[in-house]
Amino acid sequence: MSINVHIVPILSDNYAYILEGADDSVAVVDPGEAAPVIKYLEEHGLTPTLILITHHHWDHVNGVDEILERFPCTLAGADPEGSAPDSPAKKVIKARFDEVLHESCSFSFAGEEVQTLSTPGHTPEHLCYYFKESGFVLCGDVMFSMGCGRILDGSAAELYSSLQKLGALPDETLIYCGHEYTQSNADFCLKIEPDNKALQKRSNEVNALRAKGLSTLPSTLSKEKETNLFLKAKSPQAFKELRTLKDRS
Ligand code: ZN
Ligand code: FE
């Protein structure tokens, strides 16, 4: 892998990511809080040239202004236009974007092609960033390990097809999500499929990591295909029922 992905825990259970290319290109992804990200950048002598946003929710963008003040660079992300009009984070982020990205806006970072995948459902516009050569995807609040985002401002059918789109990536793809929800997702999935051996194994693995205070990410798509019941749902309707059940759990 030519791009290194550094995981920066922020807020209570979010992750920001710092991408470091072999050519010293540096990008910050979804900085919902500035201080831990700036601290990491300074400690490692990194200067970002790009901030990438998956979607406009405050826990993914709140640190943007402070980081831009310290490190002026390009801010790019999904167009929040279709989402709830009363969202203050939406107005702020839209005004700050240097580049509003869509699915057809694939770009290059550290000499590598980055594919922007339109993945609505959690919000009307949400982008996942797929780094084919390095073999990883940044999937924000669309897919979590053994889970998926809430349907806040989109529809179940949209979120289902967004998950299917991620599911079509190569099995070995590393999955970097916006939140550390893995343990509670595993508990939920185990209630639905208590005899699923892969799920039992992954749940044990996850509990051991969390007991040591470690991140459960990245996951891989092949692990998710065995254990993520939302990704495995056979139809939009089955997916919708599962998501409703999870919302009530
Ligand atoms: Zn969100
Ligand atoms: Fe979030």
Side-chain angles (χ1 to χ4, degrees), residues 236-247:
Q237 189 52 36
F239 169 74
K240 191 177 177 182
E241 282 163 23
L242 196 62
R243 187 59 258 186
T244 306
L245 213 58
K246 177 74 167 64
D247 289 342

Side-chain angles (χ1 to χ4, degrees), residues 11 13-15 30 54-55 57-60 122 126 140-141 144 152 178-179 181:
L11 302 170
D13 53 30
N14 277 77
Y15 287 128
D30 280 359
T54 60
H55 67 298
H57 283 155
W58 70 273
D59 59 314
H60 299 255
H122 172 66
H126 182 298
D141 284 1
F144 300 124
L152 292 178
H179 290 263
Y181 289 158

Side-chain angles (χ1 to χ4, degrees), residues 8-31:
V8 185
I10 56 167
L11 302 170
S12 58
D13 53 30
N14 277 77
Y15 287 128
Y17 293 100
I18 294 172
L19 313 181
E20 190 184 359
D23 63 354
D24 290 339
S25 304
V26 174
V28 171
V29 183
D30 280 359

Side-chain angles (χ1 to χ4, degrees), residues 34-86:
V37 174
I38 291 175
K39 183 167 183 268
Y40 189 97
L41 292 167
E42 284 177 342
E43 278 175 5
H44 294 83
L46 303 175
T47 305
T49 50
L50 175 67
I51 301 176
L52 269 181
I53 304 295
T54 60
H55 67 298
H56 71 278
H57 283 155
W58 70 273
D59 59 314
H60 299 255
V61 304
N62 253 20
V64 162
D65 283 353
E66 224 176 305
I67 294 172
L68 283 177
E69 221 166 273
R70 174 74 181 76
F71 300 104
C73 63
T74 304
L75 175 66
D79 186 351
E81 204 39 69
S83 46
D86 54 350

